[in-house]
Amino acid sequence: MCPSKKITEGHGGAPLSDTNVQFQDGRRSWKLLYEAALRERDPNLLSQRIADAQKAIGECTLALLQANIDNKLEKENLANAHLVLENLKRLYASAEAAA
């Protein structure tokens, strides 16, 4: 997961180095789920992979906003990943309907 509000708020929270470690872990988590969805070839698993990745992206985005972390690049990456997954979901639905 991305950083929690408790850890990233700073005022009496964890040291910045702890925040950075958690932020890096959260970033890896959503990216791993995102990449797994993009690589999934089993149509029976694709929707769940997409849902898992979108949930992780949403949680990370929310954590960044709540923690007031100003990381424009990460926010753009999250938004772009979400859009790609939405397009993949639409393509999958179209292919499934045509079959």
Side-chain angles (χ1 to χ4, degrees), residues 39-61:
R39 291 187 179 120
E40 186 58 63
R41 297 294 175 239
D42 184 342
N44 298 318
L45 298 176
L46 183 59
S47 347
Q48 187 59 51
R49 296 262 193 235
I50 292 171
D52 291 343
Q54 286 183 321
K55 180 180 178 192
I57 288 168
E59 288 171 353
C60 189
T61 302

Side-chain angles (χ1 to χ4, degrees), residues 12-81:
L16 183 57
S17 59
D18 290 347
T19 300
N20 287 339
V21 168
Q22 270 215 323
F23 178 71
Q24 294 299 327
D25 288 345
R27 196 157 88 188
R28 278 191 290 271
S29 295
W30 79 258
K31 285 184 179 181
L32 289 173
L33 291 168
Y34 171 71
E35 290 170 1
L38 294 180
R39 291 187 179 120
E40 186 58 63
R41 297 294 175 239
D42 184 342
N44 298 318
L45 298 176
L46 183 59
S47 347
Q48 187 59 51
R49 296 262 193 235
I50 292 171
D52 291 343
Q54 286 183 321
K55 180 180 178 192
I57 288 168
E59 288 171 353
C60 189
T61 302
L62 183 60
L64 285 172
L65 292 171
Q66 288 176 336
N68 200 25
I69 294 176
D70 189 22
N71 188 329
K72 185 177 179 179
L73 181 58
E74 187 67 9
K75 289 175 184 174
E76 287 176 7
N77 289 339
L78 289 161
N80 289 334

